[in-house]
């Protein structure tokens, strides 16, 4: 059954698994055992539920975007408001879960990687809350793009280590975090932020984000009396997407649409869309999945205006759902994402994270031809962190415009 | 019997320890690798680990990462490395272990690689991120071409895992002397001796000790424990320094390591 993946060895169909240096194999076994024990422990679950509710702000609302729906004149659009969570994105669901697990395992030192900085901020926050030491690896290029989040992490007491290897982005930050973990295995817990990496991470990260879909499904039934026709989510590694998709897997009539970063073009290095061009199965960072790589098996550099989608591999469960035909994966360019961000800023007063704007763009494009349907979009994060990037790409907005110009398109 | 096993048996009969020297193929340029390997052999290397550069080498420290970056920038490919191996074979019988990560191998295609590697004179394969659990489906192709399959054992490995590593390894077992990535360290780790002892109880295969061994003194300490000593980063650092007389300096450095092992 689709929802019963992975198997005992961490495989989602042919994908997933555990491809790491031997030094990490026993620690991953221990992590898996500790995680499974924690999930069976009502006290662990109760503490996580309490923090998600009282601290992070769950449940998040399901919001009916009436003005946007009316304007598009087709599908009724609903947003799952993960952007309202503490720290500004869905990442806190997983960071709290893994940080609680770290404390339970007696690991005082926590490390994490971050791309856009959202997972780094979420982990730094969880560590501050639980009194754990926190080191975050971040590519120097991403540190430049996301200066505010770097400062937030430092203010929260985390150490931010700039990574100068390779492309200086998320991929290199994960490599550096893995090297740290290999070196400090005794006292260190690695809080991985996406549904990627070696087993049990893809399963564990998904489980901690499943709450998104569980809530949304119930909320949708309560609000409309039925399930959505399509669910949209952006996919870098794919944590927010798998979180909202998973509880719908057995609802076969519900279309699941993952939106990858189409970047600035189809050429190698211009995008991060594994199912667009250049993707093939491969192994990166402990996991077998669809990977952007060259003919010689070297991992490709990627590009997206959104740092959180700028990664060469899609999470293994998404690759599985793709092959099973249960979810479809499309891509959205930088330009479409920017346009969609302006659109929902002006019609709904929601400035989305650039990542989430990719999912919004795809839903907007399909809405007109879907009258009578219900679209559910995971608004996985808010745009505060991206204001500098929006300013850079939308210079014409530095001047006042007619605020109700709903037909505005970025130049 | 593979030439790796033959070489290690010979040395064992002479009560000598083997020096396993790592070099990143294509660093600083594919045209230089043959002469560098021959220099290592002249200096006393008994087995060569021929590293195939990978873009994301998570098990490697900064020195070998930089070596891989230089090699990739110089256009090194898997096919290019196999050509280098063929060229080495026209000059030398030194056993060659192809040392890399799984992804470039999967992209090439494992059965094709096994066939082409054997034809190029490769004797064994070590894939740093291929665990024994995942290895089953990959081993057959390598064994079909009489290639040794070397696996890593680590201080963190459980007893059960060490048993599997012993079971799946041929040629020798590579013991990782310490937690961490590759790179030079000041002392041999205290975790090396217990790991050697645990592995001895499980297998009669020769044991090679590596990670963090960079000086003649450390090589000597490691040689007291294990059958073979692996040196990587320290050699890559010599290559990195480059300049005139690189082959001579690499040979001299290797000879120094070998002297330390006597």
């Amino acid at each position: 059954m689709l929802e019963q993946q992975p198997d005992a060895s961490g495989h989602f169909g042919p994908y997933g698994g555990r491809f790491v240096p031997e030094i990490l194999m026993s620690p991953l076994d221990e992590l898996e055992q500790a995680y499974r024990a924690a999930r069976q422990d009502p006290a662990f679950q109760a503490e996580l539920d309490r923090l998600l509710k009282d601290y992070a702000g769950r449940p998040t609302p399901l919001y009916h975007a009436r003005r946007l729906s009316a304007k598009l004149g087709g599908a009724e659009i609903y947003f799952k408001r993960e952007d309202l969570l503490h720290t500004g994105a869905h990442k806190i669901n997983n960071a709290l879960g893994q940080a609680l697990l770290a404390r339970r395992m007696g690991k005082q030192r926590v490390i994490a990687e971050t791309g856009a900085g959202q997972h780094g901020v979420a982990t730094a926050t969880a560590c501050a809350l639980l009194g754990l030491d926190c080191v975050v690896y971040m590519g120097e290029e991403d540190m430049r793009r996301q200066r505010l989040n770097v400062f937030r992490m430092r203010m929260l007491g985390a150490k931010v280590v700039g990574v100068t290897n390779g492309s200086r982005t998320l991929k290199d930050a994960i490599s550096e975090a893995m090297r740290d973990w290999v070196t400090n295995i005794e006292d260190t817990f690695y809080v991985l932020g996406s549904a990627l990496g070696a087993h049990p991470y893809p399963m564990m990260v998904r489980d901690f984000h499943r709450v998104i879909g569980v809530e949304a499904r119930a909320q949708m039934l309560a609000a409309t009396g039925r399930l959505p026709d399509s669910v949209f989510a952006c996919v870098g590694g794919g944590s927010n997407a798998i979180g909202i998709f998973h509880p719908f897997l057995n609802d076969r009539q519900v279309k699941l649409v993952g939106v990858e970063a189409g970047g600035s073009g189809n050429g190698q290095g211009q995008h991060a869309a594994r199912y667009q061009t250049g993707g093939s199965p491969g192994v990166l960072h402990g996991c077998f999945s669809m990977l952007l790589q060259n003919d010689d098996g070297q991992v490709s550099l990627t590009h997206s205006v959104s740092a959180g989608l700028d990664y060469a591999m899609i999470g293994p469960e998404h690759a599985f759902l793709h092959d099973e035909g249960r979810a479809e994966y499309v891509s959205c360019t930088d330009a479409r994402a920017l346009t969609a961000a302006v659109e929902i800023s002006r019609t709904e007063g929601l400035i989305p994270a650039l990542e989430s704007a990719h999912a919004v763009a795809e839903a907007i494009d399909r809405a007109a031809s879907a009258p009578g349907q219900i679209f559910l979009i995971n608004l996985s994060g808010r745009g505060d962190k991206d204001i500098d990037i929006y300013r850079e790409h939308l210079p014409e907005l530095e001047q006042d415009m007619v605020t109700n110009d709903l037909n505005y398109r970025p130049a | 019997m593979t030439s790796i096993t033959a070489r290690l048996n010979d040395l064992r009969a002479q009560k000598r320890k083997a020096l396993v020297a790592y070099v990143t193929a294509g660093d600083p340029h594919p045209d230089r690798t043959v002469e560098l390997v021959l220099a290592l052999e002249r200096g006393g290397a008994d087995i060569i680990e021929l590293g195939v550069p990978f873009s994301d080498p998570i098990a490697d420290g900064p020195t070998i990462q930089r070596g891989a970056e230089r090699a990739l920038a110089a256009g090194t490919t898997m096919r290019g490395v196999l050509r280098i191996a063929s060229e080495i074979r026209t000059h030398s019988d030194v056993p060659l272990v192809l040392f890399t990560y799984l992804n470039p191998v999967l992209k090439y295609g494992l059965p094709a690689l096994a066939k082409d590697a054997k034809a190029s004179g490769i004797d064994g394969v070590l894939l740093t991120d291929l665990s024994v659990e995942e290895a089953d489906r990959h081993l057959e192709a390598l064994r079909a071409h009489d290639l040794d399959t070397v696996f890593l054992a680590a201080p963190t490995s459980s007893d059960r895992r060490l048993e599997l590593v012993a079971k799946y390894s041929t040629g020798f077992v590579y013991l990782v002397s310490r937690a961490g990535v590759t790179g030079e360290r000041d002392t041999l780790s205290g975790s090396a001796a217990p790991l050697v002892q645990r592995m001895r109880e499980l297998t009669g295969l020769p044991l090679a000790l590596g990670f963090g061994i960079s000086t003649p003194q450390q090589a000597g300490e490691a040689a007291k424990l294990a059958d073979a000593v692996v040196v990587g980063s320290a050699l890559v650092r010599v290559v990195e320094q480059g300049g005139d007389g690189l082959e001579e300096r690499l040979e001299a450095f290797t000879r120094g390591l070998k002297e330390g092992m006597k």
Side-chain angles (χ1 to χ4, degrees), chain B residues 105-252:
Chain B
V105 171
L106 289 180
K107 190 68 182 171
Y108 194 99
L110 196 72
L113 180 77
K115 179 168 169 283
D116 295 351
K118 187 67 185 180
S120 308
I122 298 288
D123 302 291
V125 175
L126 194 166
L127 301 171
T128 49
D129 53 352
L130 181 63
S131 65
V132 285
E133 282 87 347
E134 300 282 356
D136 247 347
R137 74 187 90 167
H138 300 300
L139 285 182
E140 197 178 321
L142 297 170
R143 297 267 167 78
H145 291 278
D146 265 342
L147 291 162
D148 275 325
T149 54
V150 181
F151 285 91
L152 299 168
T156 52
S157 302
S158 63
D159 290 344
R160 168 72 187 143
R161 299 195 53 77
L162 290 188
E163 281 174 32
L164 290 171
V165 168
K167 180 179 148 198
Y168 283 110
S169 294
T170 64
F172 61 95
V173 181
Y174 188 139
L175 306 184
V176 175
S177 70
R178 66 174 70 233
V181 293
T182 59
E184 300 164 70
R185 305 291 199 287
D186 294 336
T187 57
L188 187 64
S189 167
S191 55
L195 179 60
V196 171
Q197 193 173 353
R198 288 169 70 203
M199 208 69 204
R200 289 277 188 224
E201 288 166 16
L202 295 169
T203 180
L205 281 173
L207 304 183
L209 196 57
F211 276 48
I213 299 169
S214 56
T215 66
Q217 190 206 341
Q218 289 167 351
E221 290 173 38
K224 289 194 185 86
L225 297 169
D227 307 297
V229 178
V230 189
V231 178
S233 296
L235 295 168
V236 173
R237 189 167 48 78
V238 174
V239 174
E240 183 167 51
Q241 284 158 356
D244 291 341
L246 172 58
E247 287 78 28
E248 288 73 19
R249 276 183 287 118
L250 191 62
E251 179 183 335

Side-chain angles (χ1 to χ4, degrees), chain A residues 22-23 171 179 280 283 298, chain B residues 55 57 103 107 156-157 161:
Chain A
E22 173 62 23
I23 198 113
K171 167 172 94 87
R179 291 183 186 114
S280 56
V283 169
Q298 307 297 338
Chain B
S55 53
N103 198 57
K107 190 68 182 171
T156 52
S157 302
R161 299 195 53 77

Side-chain angles (χ1 to χ4, degrees), chain A residues 136-213:
Chain A
V136 179
Y137 288 91
M138 187 170 189
E140 286 207 333
E141 172 62 18
D142 288 338
M143 286 178 75
R144 188 190 63 76
R145 288 196 279 189
Q146 302 285 353
R147 280 172 307 185
L148 277 176
N149 272 344
V150 173
F151 185 80
R152 288 168 81 192
M153 288 184 268
R154 288 177 172 153
M155 187 152 175
L156 289 160
K159 182 179 174 191
V160 182
V161 181
V163 177
T164 57
N165 305 331
S167 58
R168 308 182 176 199
T169 62
L170 179 58
K171 167 172 94 87
D172 311 287
I174 296 178
S175 292
E176 243 358 79
M178 290 183 79
R179 291 183 186 114
D180 179 313
W181 200 35
V182 170
T183 308
N184 300 294
I185 202 81
E186 286 300 319
D187 68 343
T188 298
F189 187 105
Y190 180 16
V191 175
L192 184 59
S194 197
L196 285 166
H199 180 62
Y201 282 104
M203 170 182 78
M204 183 164 71
V205 173
R206 174 201 69 199
D207 291 351
F208 285 134
H209 285 304
R210 240 184 134 261
V211 63
I212 304 171

Side-chain angles (χ1 to χ4, degrees), chain B residues 6-23:
Chain B
R7 179 70 55 105
L8 290 169
N9 283 352
D10 281 354
L11 288 167
R12 194 179 260 185
Q14 298 166 40
K15 298 200 180 337
R16 289 169 53 211
K17 301 300 175 79
L19 176 61
V20 180
Y22 171 91
V23 62

Side-chain angles (χ1 to χ4, degrees), chain A residues 110-122:
Chain A
V110 162
I111 58 171
E113 84 296 339
T114 198
Q118 288 305 105
H119 173 60
V121 168

